[in-house]
Amino acid sequence: EVQLVESGGGLVQPGGSLRLSCAASGFTFSVYDMNWVRQAPGKGLEWLSYISGSGRTIYSADSLKGRFIISRDNAKNSLYLQMHSLRAEDTAIYYCARDNNDGYGYRPFDSWGQGTLVTVSS
Amino acid sequence: EIVLTQSPATLSLSPGERATLSCRASQSISSYLAWYHQKPGQAPRLLIYDASSRATGVPARFSGSGSGTDFTLTISSLEPEDFAFYYCQQRNYWPRTFGQGTKLEIK
């Protein structure tokens, strides 16, 4: 069974940093592209960043202005999001989500974690 | 950036009725559109990808259509568990973008 479990969320002061993790199991992690998506309270979904299975290709939302950095450790079956210069508007649930390109068509975000809440407040 | 506009914002229907949700892209995205639904307190779930392909385990009452800029998600006969938020999302261009969502509520 595919499982994605996020961790690392919590309360952080404005201007602070936080690193989120996503532990993957139930599939060959290194083969799959991964993403981070967030959802502010009562709002819609916002895609943040993508990383290919090898880690060599990365895309991120321009709105982040380089404050967030996606990475992965395939040996540890883990995805990360390093967040810097956090602002109140970064308060959201952060999800990791898998892309699936296993030969049955490219399915974006076919599996999601349960999310981890990040609250930016003084 | 591709802007996806979903309509209506809220759709009020009864179980057993047919639901039609729309998603319009600001420019052509070929068929690279997906649909998700999300229940309160849960993560989103992929329903449809590439405009019309059902994801694994998705009931046949869900269908998607469209290409270019206009897309539709149809639920042929609403079940109680279908009342949720629905989001469209494009993957033809970076950055990937989502629509603002449609709330499907019980009338």
Side-chain angles (χ1 to χ4, degrees):
Chain A
E1 179 195 2
V2 172
Q3 275 204 314
L4 298 170
V5 180
E6 301 92 338
S7 60
L11 177 64
V12 61
Q13 292 191 336
S17 298
L18 209 57
R19 188 174 90 149
L20 306 182
S21 299
C22 171
S25 60
F27 63 101
T28 305
F29 181 67
S30 62
V31 172
Y32 289 83
D33 305 337
M34 298 293 296
N35 300 266
W36 286 99
V37 176
R38 71 181 177 184
Q39 186 170 35
K43 302 297 184 183
L45 301 169
E46 180 186 13
W47 171 80
L48 298 176
S49 196
Y50 158 99
I51 187 168
S52 62
S54 65
R56 284 194 284 267
T57 301
I58 288 174
Y59 295 100
S60 294
D62 291 341
S63 60
L64 299 179
K65 294 181 169 58
R67 296 185 299 120
F68 293 5
I69 301 169
I70 192 172
S71 64
R72 65 191 297 159
D73 185 336
N74 287 341
K76 294 184 178 179
N77 290 338
S78 292
L79 176 72
Y80 304 102
L81 186 68
Q82 179 69 54
M83 303 187 294
H84 298 288
S85 303
L86 285 162
R87 309 163 180 166
E89 53 265 37
D90 295 318
T91 295
I93 295 173
Y94 286 72
Y95 296 100
C96 61
R98 185 185 80 166
D99 284 354
N100 191 342
N101 189 20
D102 61 0
Y104 293 94
Y106 196 103
R107 284 106 75 196
F109 313 143
D110 81 321
S111 297
W112 297 67
Q114 84 290 347
T116 187
L117 177 62
V118 172
T119 303
V120 184
S121 175
S122 55
Chain B
E1 173 175 315
I2 302 295
V3 176
L4 298 178
T5 303
Q6 292 186 240
S7 60
T10 303
L11 185 58
S12 301
L13 294 169
S14 300
E17 290 192 293
R18 181 184 187 91
T20 303
L21 288 68
S22 295
C23 178
R24 175 165 289 179
S26 57
Q27 66 186 77
S28 176
I29 55 171
S30 186
S31 296
Y32 296 123
L33 188 97
W35 290 94
Y36 304 82
H37 76 173
Q38 184 182 33
K39 299 174 187 177
Q42 296 185 16
R45 177 193 177 192
L46 176 66
L47 297 174
I48 300 288
Y49 63 98
D50 290 350
S52 60
S53 297
R54 267 191 306 276
T56 304
V58 175
R61 65 182 181 271
F62 291 92
S63 63
S65 63
S67 66
T69 61
D70 290 301
F71 301 86
T72 301
L73 174 70
T74 301
I75 310 171
S76 59
S77 179
L78 286 165
E79 297 287 341
E81 61 268 28
D82 298 337
F83 293 93
F85 283 89
Y86 288 79
Y87 297 94
C88 58
Q89 176 260 329
Q90 66 83 22
R91 67 174 183 91
N92 196 46
Y93 296 99
W94 299 100
R96 289 177 170 177
T97 48
F98 287 92
Q100 82 283 9
T102 290
K103 181 181 181 181
L104 178 56
E105 64 177 23
I106 299 177
K107 188 173 182 180

